Amino acid sequence: NEQPQPQQQPQPEIITDGSNDMALLPDCLSVPTQSILRLPPPDAFTGFLDKVELALLQQVRSKSIAFFHETNRFGQLKEWIAGLVDEVQRVRLLLAAVQQKSVVAWELIPMLDAQRCDLELLQHLLEGANDVMTCKGSIAGLLSANDDLGAAEQIQLARQLLMPMMPMMPMMMDDDNNDNNDNN
């Protein structure tokens, strides 16, 4: 059972003096590049490169102007937003003050209305008392002048002035009693 041994291929001999270097290279590498790819001389590209360079400069210039324009607009927008934020904070403070005052006012409205009604009643009673006092003062003068008819008319007038106030007197007395009971 002899197995066939792989045949060893002879290795080309490498000579370091450079005499057989081209012989070892594949054919495509041994042919000079200029014969495979014929390029125009580098000066032929100068016109094209100048056009590309000018186009790039124009693009950079237009983009730079647009960039700086947008940067300025962005700065202005930031200023506007900062101003609006300040304005919103100011409005919030005003609304908070209005809300605080309106809540207090809503709580005070019933008490202030009751106080207004009491003051109107008191004004009406004081006006009536003033009229009665005027009648009382005139009665003494009329009696001293022996004008009994005039004095009787003044007494009748005072009674007429006191009649509408009589129903209010018990209410006022009740309010006074309630206030005294609340204080005790």
Side-chain angles (χ1 to χ4, degrees), residues 60-153:
V60 167
R61 185 178 303 127
S62 69
K63 299 299 180 199
S64 295
I65 291 171
F67 173 76
F68 290 121
H69 181 69
E70 290 302 317
T71 302
N72 290 340
R73 287 181 55 198
F74 182 72
Q76 186 179 22
L77 183 63
K78 282 175 50 177
E79 289 175 12
W80 288 347
I81 289 173
L84 289 174
V85 166
D86 292 342
E87 189 67 22
V88 165
Q89 289 174 346
R90 187 183 69 78
V91 168
R92 282 184 179 165
L93 290 174
L94 288 173
L95 283 175
V98 166
Q99 185 178 15
Q100 184 181 16
K101 288 178 182 177
S102 68
V103 168
V104 170
W106 283 106
E107 294 170 352
L108 291 178
I109 287 175
M111 291 186 299
L112 292 174
D113 186 50
Q115 186 179 16
R116 182 186 55 81
C117 289
D118 290 344
L119 289 174
E120 286 176 354
L121 179 62
L122 183 62
Q123 179 185 3
H124 184 66
L125 286 174
L126 289 175
E127 287 173 356
N130 187 34
D131 292 341
V132 169
M133 293 302 290
T134 304
C135 286
K136 179 184 172 190
S138 64
I139 291 172
L142 291 170
L143 287 176
S144 64
N146 290 327
D147 186 6
D148 294 334
L149 183 61
E153 288 175 354

